[in-house]
Amino acid sequence: MDTEKPSSSKKKKKTIEISSLADCEDVLHNILSRLPAKSFASAACVNKSWNCVCNSILSRPRIASACSFKASAPIALQEVLDKLVKHLGPRTPIILSVVHGVMGRDALTDEFREVKFQDHEDIGVNRGICTCGQQSGIVLTVGYLPGLKVDAIPLLRRKEVPVDDTYVDVYLAPPVPMIDQFVMDIQNYTTSVSGCASPVGIIMFGKEDMDQKPIIEKLDYAMSMNTVFVGDERSRFAYRSGDDLRNVCGNPAFISDAVALVFASDKEKPHGTGEIQFHLAMSEGVSAIGPRHKAVSVRANHAEGSTWLTAKREGHHVILDGEQILRHIDQLENRFPQVELYVGVTKRRKCSIGSEKSRLITTLAFHGIRGGDQEYLYVDGVGIKTGDYFQFYQPDHNAALAACRNASENIRNLKLNSSGKGFLGRRDVANSIDRKEVLGGFIFSCCGRGNSFFGGLNVDSFPFFENFPSAPLAGIFCGGEIGRGKLSMTGQESQEESPAERRYLHVYSTAYLVISYSAAPSE
C-alpha cells in the first residue's frame, strides 16, 4: 500500500497556519474584551480556547481614574454617581470625600494636573464636591480587583442624648471600646473572606474634628506590617458599604468618626487568579531643628483639644516655659522665618485590643504648635505625658525635594521587576505572563505642599510618573497624611527610621500607594 508523504509545501502551510493562530491570540483577546456582557458570556461557550481567553480577561484587574474641573461640578458628579451605582450594583463600596485639592488626568484633555483649592474653609460639601470660589474639581477612581474582597467599614459612635432629646457630639476622640470594635470589625471581615486577620491594605478617611491618633495607633498595633495604610487623617466624607447594617449615613443617632476601605485577600478566588500587592513609598517634608526636650508639667485641655506643657532641654535641669522654648528655637541659624512648627513626640505606650494582654509600642507623633507664653507651650492634640521626649520640626522644601527623589528611586525598585502599564513580549493567553504589572497608584499629599511649596508644578506626582508614565494615577491634598507600611519596595525597612519607632501620621509629607499585579504561575 502506497503512503503519500506530505510535501514540503504542505508542511510549510501547516506551520504558517499554526503561527497565524498564535499571532491571532492577542487580536482575539482585544476583541473579546470589548464585548458587552451577554455577548461575552456567549463567546465564552464557543470552545475551550475562547473560554480560556475569556477567563484570562475576567481574572485581570483594572483601575481607571479621571479628573474633571468643570464649573458645573455638582451636576456632573451627581450624573457620574447615578451611572456608577447603576452599573456597579448596590453592594459596591463607595467613599466620597471633600478635600483640599485633587490630582489626576483631565477627562477631556488627558493632561495630568495637581490643583489645590485656595481656602478649605469655603469648600462646599455636596457628596464629595470640592469647590472654592470659581474653582472646583472631581477625581473619580474605579477599580476591579479579582482576588481581593473590598468593603467600607466605618467607626460608628452613638450620639449622646440629653434630656431635651437633642443629639450632641461631646467627644474629641472616640471612646476606647468603640475604637476596639472598629479594629475588630476590620479583623472579623478580613478573617471571614481571607482566613487571615490582617488585610492587604487599608485606605482610610478620618473625621476632620476628631483626633485620629488613637485610632491609627490601634490599627497599627493590631495589623501585620505587611498591611499598608494610606489616607486622609482629617476630611469630610460619606460612604456606602456592601453590608447594609453598616450604612448609617443620615441616621441622627450615629456619627461616623472614620471609614476604612479594606482590601482583603479572597480565600475563594478562582484558580488562575494572580496576586495583587500594595506598596508604600513616602516623601517626608520636614526637618528636625534644635535640641530634644523632655516634657515636665503636662496638662491636657480636652475641651479645646490641646496640651499645655513645660519642658527642659535634654541634659539640662532648668525648666522652661513656652516663651523661653520658642525664643530659643526662633534664634537658631537653621530656623526658617514665618513657617509652621511641630513637635515630634516619642511616645512609649501600652496598647491592646479588647481584653487581650497589652504590650508596649513606641511611636513618633506630630503635634502642631499653637504658641507659648510665660506659663506653657501650647500644642495641638492630647496624649502627651510627663517624661515624653520631643523635638521640633519645620517644613523644609529642600528636604522634601530630596525625599521625592528618594521616593522615585524606591518606586523604581518595583519598576525593575515590572512591565508597567502594558506588557513586555507577546501575551500567552492560556498562561498569562510571569511579569509584575503596575495597575496604578494613589497619592495622599499634605495640603501645605504643591506649587507654592516647591515653586514648581506636579512635583508630588513626579516620583510615580517618572517610573510609570502611562499607569492610572489619582491623588488628593489632605488635612493630614496617613502612611504606614514597609518603606521600601524591596520589602526591607527604611534605614531612615528605626523599626522600633513607628510613624503612621505625617506632616508636610506625601504617601504613595502603588498597586501591582503578578499573574498566576504558568502551568
Side-chain angles (χ1 to χ4, degrees):
M1 183 177 180
D2 294 335
T3 303
E4 182 181 355
K5 295 182 179 181
S7 65
S8 60
S9 61
K10 288 183 178 180
K11 288 182 178 180
K12 184 176 181 181
K13 183 177 180 181
K14 187 175 182 179
T15 302
I16 292 174
E17 287 176 350
I18 294 173
S19 177
S20 298
L21 286 173
D23 291 338
C24 286
E25 289 176 347
D26 282 338
V27 177
L28 181 61
H29 186 283
N30 191 23
I31 293 172
L32 294 180
S33 64
R34 298 171 185 269
L35 293 178
K38 290 183 178 179
S39 300
F40 183 88
S42 299
C45 300
V46 170
N47 56 42
K48 185 176 180 180
S49 177
W50 282 37
N51 181 267
C52 192
V53 175
C54 290
N55 286 337
S56 173
I57 293 171
L58 290 176
S59 65
R60 183 158 295 282
R62 294 284 187 275
I63 293 177
S65 181
C67 260
S68 175
F69 300 97
K70 285 189 175 181
S72 57
I75 298 174
L77 180 59
Q78 189 60 55
E79 290 177 351
V80 168
L81 289 175
D82 290 342
K83 292 181 180 180
L84 186 67
V85 173
K86 178 181 177 181
H87 290 288
L88 296 182
R91 295 198 176 278
T92 301
I94 298 174
I95 295 180
L96 309 169
S97 177
V98 177
V99 295
H100 294 257
V102 296
M103 309 177 193
R105 288 195 180 277
D106 192 299
L108 295 179
T109 66
D110 201 39
E111 175 191 5
F112 190 90
R113 299 174 61 189
E114 295 182 7
V115 177
K116 281 177 57 180
F117 306 120
Q118 297 170 358
D119 187 354
H120 185 58
E121 294 300 322
D122 294 336
I123 293 179
V125 182
N126 187 335
R127 288 180 173 263
I129 299 165
C130 308
T131 61
C132 186
Q134 297 299 310
Q135 267 194 332
S136 63
I138 303 167
V139 60
L140 173 67
T141 302
V142 180
Y144 169 63
L145 303 176
L148 294 183
K149 291 288 189 179
V150 186
D151 203 0
I153 299 178
L155 194 168
L156 298 177
R157 171 163 51 89
R158 186 177 293 275
K159 292 184 179 180
E160 295 292 325
V161 186
V163 178
D164 61 0
D165 291 333
T166 301
Y167 287 97
V168 296
D169 182 5
V170 297
Y171 297 101
L172 288 171
V176 170
M178 301 301 296
I179 300 177
D180 287 357
Q181 186 61 53
F182 175 60
V183 174
M184 289 188 287
D185 285 346
I186 294 175
Q187 290 177 320
N188 292 338
Y189 168 76
T190 305
T191 301
S192 68
V193 299
S194 71
C196 173
S198 293
V200 173
I202 295 174
I203 298 179
M204 185 167 166
F205 296 86
K207 193 165 176 276
E208 63 180 346
D209 57 355
M210 187 62 56
D211 185 3
Q212 300 295 317
K213 289 184 179 67
I215 303 172
I216 307 295
E217 179 182 277
K218 291 265 188 176
L219 280 173
D220 174 69
Y221 164 83
M223 302 298 168
S224 162
M225 279 305 297
N226 291 323
T227 300
V228 174
F229 303 168
V230 292
D232 188 351
E233 179 186 358
R234 292 183 292 274
S235 65
R236 285 172 275 176
F237 61 84
Y239 73 92
R240 189 187 70 181
S241 173
D243 184 347
D244 288 336
L245 295 177
R246 298 192 183 108
N247 293 323
V248 299
C249 288
N251 188 328
F254 289 94
I255 299 172
S256 300
D257 288 327
V259 63
L261 192 63
V262 180
F263 300 81
S265 297
D266 183 1
K267 62 184 178 183
E268 298 179 355
K269 69 180 183 180
H271 176 72
T273 303
E275 181 184 10
I276 295 174
Q277 292 180 298
F278 283 25
H279 312 269
L280 174 71
M282 291 296 306
S283 168
E284 302 288 356
V286 293
S287 58
I289 180 174
R292 286 213 311 168
H293 292 72
K294 184 177 181 179
V296 177
S297 174
V298 179
R299 293 179 55 187
N301 188 331
H302 291 277
E304 295 183 359
S306 64
T307 297
W308 308 354
L309 59 89
T310 60
K312 54 186 178 182
R313 293 176 201 147
E314 188 174 28
H316 294 74
H317 301 289
V318 178
I319 298 176
L320 306 173
D321 58 40
E323 189 175 278
Q324 292 170 322
I325 295 172
L326 292 179
R327 185 187 306 121
H328 176 258
I329 294 297
D330 287 337
Q331 291 174 350
L332 295 174
E333 290 185 3
N334 60 339
R335 169 74 170 118
F336 300 140
Q338 299 179 343
V339 299
E340 302 170 63
L341 274 177
Y342 297 86
V343 287
V345 184
T346 300
K347 301 178 181 180
R348 196 162 188 261
R349 304 284 190 268
K350 288 184 177 181
C351 192
S352 65
I353 303 296
S355 60
E356 70 180 28
K357 184 178 179 180
S358 63
R359 60 183 173 86
L360 284 171
I361 60 172
T362 303
T363 61
L364 181 66
F366 289 100
H367 297 257
I369 298 296
R370 293 190 177 187
D373 57 23
Q374 294 182 357
E375 287 189 281
Y376 296 105
L377 177 71
Y378 303 101
V379 304
D380 288 328
V382 295
I384 303 174
K385 294 184 178 181
T386 297
D388 286 346
Y389 282 90
F390 63 88
Q391 186 160 21
F392 283 87
Y393 289 81
Q394 62 181 352
D396 186 341
H397 77 277
N398 289 323
L401 285 171
C404 280
R405 290 191 289 269
N406 290 337
S408 180
E409 293 176 5
N410 211 358
I411 295 173
R412 190 174 298 118
N413 291 332
L414 186 62
K415 181 182 178 181
L416 296 177
N417 189 33
S418 170
S419 59
K421 188 178 185 292
F423 306 93
L424 298 179
R426 188 180 63 78
R427 180 195 304 274
D428 181 344
V429 177
N431 299 319
S432 187
I433 55 174
D434 295 325
R435 294 297 301 272
K436 183 174 290 185
E437 174 191 359
V438 167
L439 301 175
F442 294 89
I443 294 177
F444 296 85
S445 185
C446 175
C447 59
R449 289 168 66 120
N451 183 26
S452 60
F453 182 65
F454 289 110
L457 296 175
N458 298 346
V459 175
D460 278 314
S461 56
F462 176 76
F464 185 92
F465 268 124
E466 182 185 31
N467 295 288
F468 302 104
S470 59
L473 177 65
I476 60 175
F477 287 101
C478 303
E481 315 82 65
I482 301 171
R484 181 266 200 191
K486 292 180 178 178
L487 298 181
S488 171
M489 297 294 173
T490 60
Q492 299 176 354
E493 297 289 348
S494 167
Q495 298 301 313
E496 298 177 0
E497 178 181 350
S498 168
E501 185 178 84
R502 301 188 178 187
R503 185 188 310 185
Y504 36 76
L505 294 175
H506 307 260
V507 292
Y508 271 86
S509 70
T510 297
Y512 301 89
L513 172 63
V514 183
I515 303 177
S516 71
Y517 172 74
S518 299
S522 301
E523 296 180 356

